[in-house]
Amino acid sequence: MPILLAPFADSLWSGIPENATPGSQLSQPAGLEALLEYNGIIIHDRSVYDKYRLKAIDGLHGGVGIRVNEDTNPGDHGSFPLMNMLDARSIIIEGVISTGNMSKMRDLQQALRTAFFSMVERPLIIRTGNVNRDVYVMARINDKIGMREEQTKMDRFTREFQISMRATDPRIYSVNARTYSKTDVVDGDSLLSPVHAGNFQASPVIKLDGPMTNPVLKNTTYMPDENFQRFIKINGTIPNGSTYTYDSKNGTLVNQLGVRKDSQLDVTSSQIRLTNGENILQLTTTAT
């Protein structure tokens, strides 16, 4: 079987001798040129006088920590490489609160504490002004907000702040989800070609409408660094009028009432993933 390695997009880094080249305007995520939105609050809105101004963001552009997995080679030098995994993502936001009077300063301080004091992960959205380029990461605060009470400006009121966050899911998602559907499913094989615009494996949510018997859904496109095709096999029948939803991120299968149907997932199934570019999904089923 072929092992398809992820091609590197050389057009992203290459240049020309004559002059500077325009960027693609497609690379993610944006940074200090964008707005940050979290739990109803907007940071770095330069259109207003009283504002939160961003100074630095750490943890979005430098990548994610890697959990290195390997077994020691007892009979020779080195180790045997196992599957590496991405670690959780740590994010640090540094900025300055700038206001025209002390009363408004206290308002913005309290609003910042209130918005970020969340015990559950919420979307930290990076707003670019183009919803097709907006992305988010699910995160929550993991330490108190650093905010020292010190007046350093004579002509205006400013307070520096630092927010530390943790994202247990390190992936950065597009705000706009893509949806693909196929209605003319017949006995035998049917194909669907979703396109994944990201640069990391995506975990789709797949819905299958009955009736179907023993459906097998396979991604015939190989994932980078893998030599097998990922697929799920559902044993038995999806009844007429029922919809089974497979969440590849969690590996769960439920019907339209939310009842778990994991017992119908064949033990040979592997979690469906989508790689960058076009993916060819093949559905094989009968009694449609």
Side-chain angles (χ1 to χ4, degrees):
M1 291 184 177
I3 298 178
L4 303 183
L5 300 179
F8 187 80
D10 57 359
S11 61
L12 293 180
W13 64 263
S14 60
I16 59 176
E18 291 79 10
N19 51 45
T21 58
S24 68
Q25 299 187 9
L26 298 175
S27 296
Q28 296 290 358
L32 296 179
E33 74 274 23
L35 305 180
L36 294 185
E37 179 181 339
Y38 188 82
N39 199 17
I41 202 170
I42 302 293
I43 296 179
H44 210 44
D45 182 358
R46 279 98 63 192
S47 66
V48 296
Y49 185 89
D50 301 312
K51 58 184 175 290
Y52 307 100
R53 181 170 61 85
L54 278 177
K55 293 176 55 181
I57 307 174
D58 188 20
L60 288 179
H61 300 87
V64 184
I66 297 177
R67 300 200 310 268
V68 178
N69 296 312
E70 56 187 32
D71 277 344
T72 300
N73 186 347
D76 202 350
H77 302 287
S79 303
F80 295 107
L82 303 176
M83 178 67 74
N84 281 348
M85 297 292 180
L86 296 181
D87 206 345
R89 183 185 293 271
S90 296
I91 302 170
I92 298 177
I93 301 170
E94 297 180 19
V96 176
I97 304 175
S98 179
T99 65
N101 58 72
M102 185 54 67
S103 178
K104 189 61 177 179
M105 170 63 67
R106 298 310 183 205
D107 289 345
L108 267 65
Q109 286 179 315
Q110 180 163 319
L112 195 69
R113 290 192 301 267
T114 303
F116 280 88
F117 189 77
S118 176
M119 297 295 101
V120 299
E121 291 185 332
R122 301 177 185 272
L124 176 64
I125 307 174
I126 304 174
R127 297 288 188 189
T128 64
N130 180 354
V131 69
N132 294 315
R133 295 193 60 213
D134 292 350
V135 297
Y136 71 94
V137 59
M138 297 297 295
R140 63 179 176 180
I141 196 169
N142 67 343
D143 199 357
K144 65 180 181 180
I145 296 178
M147 195 181 305
R148 184 178 178 181
E149 183 71 6
E150 182 182 11
Q151 183 65 35
T152 60
K153 305 291 183 180
M154 297 299 295
D155 57 340
R156 61 188 183 275
F157 296 94
T158 61
R159 296 292 187 274
E160 295 189 355
F161 65 88
Q162 183 181 83
I163 302 172
S164 298
M165 307 188 76
R166 187 78 167 168
T168 53
D169 180 358
R171 300 170 182 86
I172 297 176
Y173 294 95
S174 172
V175 169
N176 279 348
R178 293 189 176 188
T179 301
Y180 294 83
S181 63
K182 189 174 185 64
T183 58
D184 54 339
V185 176
V186 295
D187 284 8
D189 294 340
S190 298
L191 300 178
L192 186 66
S193 303
V195 176
H196 173 34
N199 64 350
F200 191 76
Q201 295 180 15
S203 303
V205 174
I206 299 165
K207 295 185 177 183
L208 300 174
D209 295 326
M212 293 183 186
T213 298
N214 296 325
V216 177
L217 182 69
K218 176 188 296 184
N219 189 351
T220 63
T221 307
Y222 287 82
M223 300 297 102
D225 304 327
E226 294 184 357
N227 61 355
F228 62 95
Q229 294 177 333
R230 291 176 172 265
F231 72 94
I232 57 169
K233 179 181 179 182
I234 300 176
N235 296 320
T237 299
I238 301 177
N240 187 23
S242 294
T243 298
Y244 280 21
T245 300
Y246 171 72
D247 187 335
S248 63
K249 179 182 177 182
N250 301 320
T252 56
L253 183 70
V254 299
N255 67 7
Q256 71 280 5
L257 301 177
V259 178
R260 296 288 289 265
K261 296 293 182 180
D262 299 340
S263 60
Q264 287 186 242
L265 275 176
D266 195 88
V267 294
T268 61
S269 300
S270 53
Q271 290 175 305
I272 296 287
R273 294 288 188 266
L274 301 180
T275 189
N276 175 257
E278 185 180 55
N279 295 254
I280 308 298
L281 300 184
Q282 179 187 58
L283 175 64
T284 304
T285 186
T286 59
T288 54

